[in-house]
Structure formats: structure tokens, C-alpha cells
Amino acid sequence: MADHTAAGIDLQKVKPSVVEEFVTGAKKGFYIGAEMIAPAMVLAYVLILFLEITGLMKGVGKILEPVMTVFGLPGEAIFALVAAFFAKAAGCATAATLYSKGVITAAQATILFPACVTMGTLIGHFVRIVIVSNVNKKWHSLLICVPLVDAAVVMILTRAVLSVMGLNG
């Protein structure tokens, strides 16, 4: 009986408690957020503001118009997707800004929303999940592409649903 207690004490010294595991994980998550995710979000907001101020948004929008037309969106809508790539909130905020400026309609904002959510915060999630868990590098490009394809599919499906409902304009 005494050996069992002694063995139990030795086991507790080796294995960290649930609280210690939680604190270690929380510290790791905080540093990932502070060092990797927050700078990406700030970069997204600054990039979008820069594009608006310099007028590049209109030029790039014209260039990407043929691609975005597939989804029923104007070329400028690409910036909501680019912003969503860094942070869901940034993508949704960019879509709302485009709507408030009359660049996109409510139906087009509706097409953008599920795409922003589907692929949103891709960089942050990629770092938090794929990099931290040491996924083999040969899978990295595939793991980045899957949410992008998902976003494209959901935009096409949303456009189709809106069209069936007669809300495509």
C-alpha cells in the first residue's frame, strides 16, 4: 500500500497538472496571437486603407473584374476577400464598407459574407494549427488551398440561391 502511494507521488511529479497544462497552453496561445496574428490583422487594415486612399482599389478592381464576375461581384470585392484572408472581421468590415460606399449591393455583400467566414483568418488558423502542430511541409500548400476553394464554392452556391430567390441584384 505504501509503495502504491509512493508510486502515485512519483507519477504526479512527472506529469503536469491540468492547471499547469492550461497555463502552458494559454501562454503559447497568447504569444501566437500577439506575435503572429495581431500583426497580420493590422497589416490587413492598413493595406485596405492604403488601397482606398491611393485609388489603387479602383484600378485593381478593374483588373480583377472578369474573375470576380464569376461570383457576381465587382472587382473591388476582392479586397474583402483579401482582408478576410488575414481576419474574418476585417473581411466583413471591408464588405460593409464597400456596401456603405455603394460599391456593392446587399446581395453582393451576402455573397461575400459566407466566403469571409469560410476562409476568414486563414493566416492565423494556419499558424495556430498547422505550424504549431508541426504538420509536414508537403501538406502546407494544400491546407492553404482548401479554404480558398471552399470560399469560391460557397460564393457560387450563395449566388445561385440568391438567383433562385430572385435576390441577385
Side-chain angles (χ1 to χ4, degrees):
M1 188 75 172
D3 290 338
H4 178 66
T5 303
I9 291 171
D10 288 341
L11 184 60
Q12 287 180 348
K13 288 181 182 176
V14 174
K15 187 176 179 182
S17 70
V18 172
V19 173
E20 290 169 333
E21 289 283 350
F22 174 79
V23 170
T24 301
K27 283 180 182 176
K28 199 173 186 179
F30 173 78
Y31 289 122
I32 288 170
E35 294 176 359
M36 296 178 184
I37 297 171
M41 290 176 61
V42 170
L43 176 65
Y45 287 119
V46 170
L47 179 65
I48 296 300
L49 188 60
F50 173 77
L51 291 170
E52 280 182 0
I53 290 171
T54 59
L56 287 173
M57 185 174 278
K58 277 205 176 287
V60 173
K62 285 281 185 204
I63 293 169
L64 295 174
E65 188 84 38
V67 175
M68 297 306 287
T69 301
V70 171
F71 306 110
L73 299 169
E76 292 89 347
I78 191 70
F79 295 108
L81 298 175
V82 171
F85 189 74
F86 294 99
K88 289 177 191 172
C92 293
T94 303
T97 302
L98 293 173
Y99 174 71
S100 70
K101 291 182 176 183
V103 176
I104 61 174
T105 65
Q108 291 168 331
T110 304
I111 293 170
L112 280 172
F113 178 71
C116 290
V117 172
T118 302
M119 72 169 206
T121 321
L122 187 55
I123 293 294
H125 293 315
F126 185 82
V127 170
R128 268 187 299 204
I129 298 167
V130 175
I131 301 297
V132 169
S133 61
N134 291 324
V135 171
N136 189 326
K137 288 185 178 185
K138 73 178 183 182
W139 299 109
H140 287 189
S141 57
L142 177 66
L143 293 170
I144 285 284
C145 288
V146 167
L148 298 176
V149 171
D150 289 348
V153 169
V154 77
M155 285 192 296
I156 290 170
L157 290 175
T158 304
R159 182 180 185 197
V161 168
L162 290 174
S163 183
V164 167
M165 295 173 66
L167 301 172
N168 55 351

